[in-house]
Amino acid sequence: MRIDYPPAIQRLVAQLKSLPGLGPRSAERLMLWLLQMREDRITSLSNTLMEAKERIIPCSDCGFFIENDSACLLCHDPRRQQRLLCVVEQAADVLRLERSGAFQGLYHVLGGRLSPLDNVTPEDLRMESLVNRVRDLHTEEVIIALGSDVEGEATASYIADLLRPAGIAITRLAQGMPAGGGLDHVDELTLYQALHGRRKMGWEAKS
């Protein structure tokens, strides 16, 4: 008869495996580490996770993380360039760009990217609010900072078509971005070079 972990442990491993970046072996190692923690540490970890879940919300303007009783430091910083807008896929991408030190404008988090295979359509992303912000902020340039894989390119092209009637500059990260890669695999120096080497998209690139 084959011996396996008790059902409660199997359920824990299954939950851990569902987390991004954790395969079966990593999930099993993490499970063993968690079970060997003191009870007070497990309680503290659980309470901190629940507190973050209850308090952290996306900013209604840019989509970055804020606490539910606080104003967004990015959107309300008067030192930032109010007419320069950088579009990213996820909130974590904002910090990657901020740490590069190359960008001083505002951000717009889409909350994902177009993916027909996963049934992710423009209605599932923050496209309408992007159009509204470009109008309300009198944006002069939109930088599309998405990965260069198929879904990222399709999303960038959709945004360029969507914003073309606004008659503004639409640029795309260029130098340093590896083909088929996303921002989570790019170091800060590469991001700095990519921002400063951005290129125009669509009809502007041909003019």
Side-chain angles (χ1 to χ4, degrees):
M1 184 177 71
R2 183 172 173 232
I3 301 298
D4 204 342
Y5 289 115
I9 293 182
Q10 293 182 43
R11 290 193 293 271
L12 175 58
V13 172
Q15 288 292 331
L16 294 173
K17 281 196 301 184
S18 68
L19 299 175
L22 283 183
R25 291 181 181 274
S26 297
E28 189 171 313
R29 285 195 296 268
L30 183 55
M31 173 273 297
L32 293 172
W33 179 77
L34 288 171
L35 289 180
Q36 293 172 25
M37 289 177 65
R38 299 194 312 269
E39 184 175 348
D40 60 330
R41 289 196 63 192
I42 293 179
T43 301
S44 177
L45 175 62
S46 175
N47 290 341
T48 302
L49 180 60
M50 289 303 300
E51 180 185 14
K53 181 64 177 175
E54 293 170 358
R55 292 182 57 85
I56 301 301
I57 60 173
C59 170
S60 59
D61 291 325
C62 72
F64 187 61
F65 301 121
I66 61 171
E67 294 200 16
N68 51 24
D69 57 356
S70 303
C72 179
L73 297 178
L74 290 171
C75 293
H76 292 84
D77 186 349
R79 298 169 297 179
R80 304 194 75 90
Q81 300 176 49
Q82 301 294 309
R83 297 192 176 185
L84 186 60
L85 192 62
C86 183
V87 179
V88 297
E89 180 182 340
Q90 302 292 349
D93 295 331
V94 171
L95 282 183
R96 295 186 181 103
L97 288 165
E98 280 296 286
R99 289 166 180 163
S100 76
F103 184 69
Q104 297 299 322
L106 301 177
Y107 293 93
H108 188 85
V109 179
L110 291 175
R113 55 186 171 177
L114 297 176
S115 179
L117 294 178
D118 297 320
N119 295 318
V120 179
T121 67
E123 289 71 28
D124 298 313
L125 306 178
R126 300 179 67 243
M127 294 291 187
E128 183 177 356
S129 61
L130 172 61
V131 175
N132 293 337
R133 291 188 76 203
V134 167
R135 180 196 63 226
D136 296 342
L137 294 169
H138 304 289
T139 302
E140 296 176 351
E141 180 185 357
V142 169
I143 303 171
I144 302 176
L146 304 177
S148 57
D149 55 7
V150 174
E151 290 85 0
E153 291 293 342
T155 308
S157 295
Y158 182 89
I159 293 172
D161 291 339
L162 187 66
L163 298 180
R164 184 166 294 124
I168 61 175
I170 304 172
T171 56
R172 181 91 162 91
L173 293 188
Q175 295 181 1
M177 290 294 292
L183 294 184
D184 53 336
H185 299 299
V186 180
D187 59 55
E188 294 169 16
L189 177 59
T190 301
L191 274 175
Y192 186 92
Q193 295 171 338
L195 271 168
H196 284 277
R198 59 186 183 271
R199 55 182 171 82
K200 292 184 178 181
M201 291 188 65
W203 62 272
E204 292 181 331
K206 300 175 183 177
S207 60

